[in-house]
Amino acid sequence: MSLDFPLDRTAAPVPGAERRAILADPGFGRWFTDHMAVAAWDAERGWHDGGVRPLAPFTLHPGAAVFHYGQEIFEGLKAYRHADGGVWLFRPGDNARRFARSARRLALPELPEAAFVRAVEELVRADAAWVPEADGGHADEGGGAATSATSPSASGSSSSAPAASAAPASGSGEQSLYLRPFLIATESFLGVRPSAQALFRVIASPAGPYFPSGVTGVTLWVTETYSRAAVGGTGAAKCGGNYAGSLAAQIEARENGCEQVLYLDSAGHGTIEESGTMNLCLVTRDGELLTPALGTILEGVTRDTVLALAPELGLRPVERTISLAELRAGAQDGTVTEVFAAGTAAVLTPVTGFKGAGYAFAVGDGTPGPTTLALRRTVLDLQYGRTEDRRGWLHHVC
Ligand SMILES: Cc1ncc(COP(=O)(O)O)c(C=O)c1O
């Protein structure tokens, strides 16, 4: 049975002037669009009741399994407005497949790939007015794209934009509509077993440029107090519990003057894994783009994208185990010339230094490297339709 997502349009959208004020300076994750995509699943009927409806709170029984056992998964992807006004998704099928893999790991029902993509598409179509203008400026070389400081008049949460505190190295003007599909276990019972009911939702939030005043570098805190994942655990799944467990490590990083965390393997703390919401990549002096092999890390769409694009920038993609000792020695003797983190939200974030218990080291000269900035530009140019999409990664919505 195929799941459909008919639109029930809201009678009370955010007024146009208010929406435009929000889009002038959306930040990240602070504002939500007028609609959400929905679907329900239960063991008897399977997937049903798909639709795009007005964004609204929903009620759950206090016994719902998601509240007690954290049976929940989510995704993150973006819709991009191209210079001609068209709106496109980037590799949504990869997010759909990862959503299904996460569902399998969390014993949740798998949403067929076509239904996942359809739900996202229909929501973006309904809320197309919320997809920010392309702001096609190629500001990576220091132009600094203009983002208005207009304060939106709507009320909402005041969470701040993602942290990236070092001095701006160059500007970047990309804006997008961030999409957040998620699936929660809703059967009401106490006892640890898979829920026989689940709810799927997709919500959307306009996203301003991740680096409003220029692409900055971050310093990663190498935690040996906390682990993110273990062999056989849930590290490769995108489930809420992984992120709840990362918050204490993030606090530790902040207390040590770092913006993000670098996790090591849980068994011996000898090999590098990934950051809290991004995969890690190293650029070496002899032209490798080196990244930790899959296993306990999240299989990032951006990671896969940069591995595929690497040869176009004269880099050899290599996926293998990388020890912390190798990273430290390489950064210090110049074998490792650049490090960056890769993820949907920031695309590529230069990592300009590391700190751990009793040590600190910089990468290169401590500023964002040219290969990182060139790769970042290459990915953005593809996502915003400024270069030819030879791999069929772009998916037209409207
Ligand atoms: C733990 C983790 N690693 C890596 C990534 C990067 O994945 P993607 O490039 O698909 O956004 C994310 C973001 O989803 C993440 O949460």
Side-chain angles (χ1 to χ4, degrees):
M1 179 202 72
S2 91
L3 190 61
D4 222 353
F5 293 88
L7 172 61
D8 169 15
R9 194 173 279 286
T10 179
V14 172
E18 212 168 286
R19 188 188 65 242
R20 284 188 290 279
I22 291 170
L23 293 182
D25 183 20
F28 188 87
R30 290 159 56 202
W31 308 99
F32 294 95
T33 63
D34 292 315
H35 298 91
M36 61 183 178
V38 305
W41 176 90
D42 65 42
E44 294 80 47
R45 287 178 289 175
W47 288 104
H48 59 278
D49 276 354
V52 173
R53 308 210 179 121
L55 181 79
F58 50 95
T59 55
L60 291 178
H61 191 283
V66 64
F67 295 138
H68 306 278
Y69 311 113
Q71 202 187 357
E72 185 267 358
I73 59 167
F74 66 98
E75 266 303 323
L77 68 164
K78 288 173 170 174
Y80 306 87
R81 190 178 292 283
H82 289 186
D84 66 359
V87 177
W88 300 71
L89 300 168
F90 185 70
R91 305 186 66 173
D94 292 81
N95 294 93
R97 286 187 287 276
R98 189 169 67 188
F99 199 60
R101 288 198 299 277
S102 297
R104 272 201 293 285
R105 180 63 185 85
L106 272 288
L108 280 161
E110 287 177 45
L111 182 66
E113 178 181 335
F116 177 101
V117 174
R118 189 76 193 275
V120 169
E121 259 177 12
E122 295 299 341
L123 175 62
V124 172
R125 222 166 261 144
D127 283 334
W130 284 91
V131 183
E133 286 302 320
D135 187 3
H138 281 216
D140 275 357
E141 273 97 32
T147 49
S148 159
T150 313
S151 289
S153 57
S155 62
S157 80
S158 59
S159 59
S160 55
S165 66
S170 55
S172 172
E174 76 281 0
Q175 312 209 56
S176 59
L177 184 65
Y178 185 82
L179 300 153
R180 168 52 56 82
F182 62 100
L183 178 61
I184 56 175
T186 52
E187 190 188 353
S188 166
F189 66 97
L190 298 179
V192 180
R193 63 161 171 82
S195 172
Q197 295 167 2
L199 285 182
F200 172 68
R201 295 282 184 272
V202 189
I203 55 175
S205 174
Y210 195 90
F211 297 102
S213 52
V215 180
T216 53
V218 296
T219 302
L220 298 188
W221 171 251
V222 186
T223 182
E224 298 201 29
T225 317
Y226 302 104
S227 296
R228 185 187 161 275
V231 175
T234 57
K238 206 162 166 62
C239 59
N242 288 347
Y243 300 84
S246 76
L247 301 175
Q250 215 175 77
I251 292 169
E252 189 184 77
R254 293 278 157 91
E255 285 169 354
N256 285 281
C258 297
E259 288 87 1
Q260 311 260 344
V261 178
L262 171 64
Y263 290 98
L264 304 174
D265 72 290
S266 60
H269 284 174
T271 63
I272 63 173
E273 296 218 319
E274 63 183 319
S275 179
T277 59
M278 290 179 280
N279 295 113
L280 205 73
C281 296
L282 282 54
V283 180
T284 68
R285 191 169 50 201
D286 65 358
E288 282 184 348
L289 181 70
L290 193 54
T291 193
L294 296 177
T296 53
I297 63 172
L298 195 80
E299 188 172 350
V301 177
T302 318
R303 172 188 181 278
D304 190 69
T305 299
V306 296
L307 286 172
L309 294 174
E312 291 179 19
L313 280 92
L315 297 165
R316 287 188 311 285
V318 178
E319 300 171 69
R320 66 164 169 81
T321 301
I322 304 164
S323 72
L324 176 62
E326 177 183 358
L327 169 63
R328 277 182 77 171
Q332 275 155 0
D333 69 15
T335 319
V336 174
T337 53
E338 298 179 36
V339 178
F340 63 83
T344 297
V347 191
L348 263 59
T349 302
V351 177
T352 47
F354 292 85
K355 272 191 197 176
Y359 65 89
F361 59 95
V363 181
D365 65 2
T367 63
T371 304
T372 300
L373 295 178
L375 258 174
R376 186 171 195 279
R377 161 74 69 79
T378 305
V379 176
L380 285 168
D381 281 348
L382 258 170
Q383 291 173 333
Y384 284 90
R386 299 190 288 250
T387 51
E388 192 194 346
D389 172 28
R390 285 185 276 116
R391 295 171 178 81
W393 281 341
L394 290 175
H395 183 102
H396 186 248
V397 178
C398 57

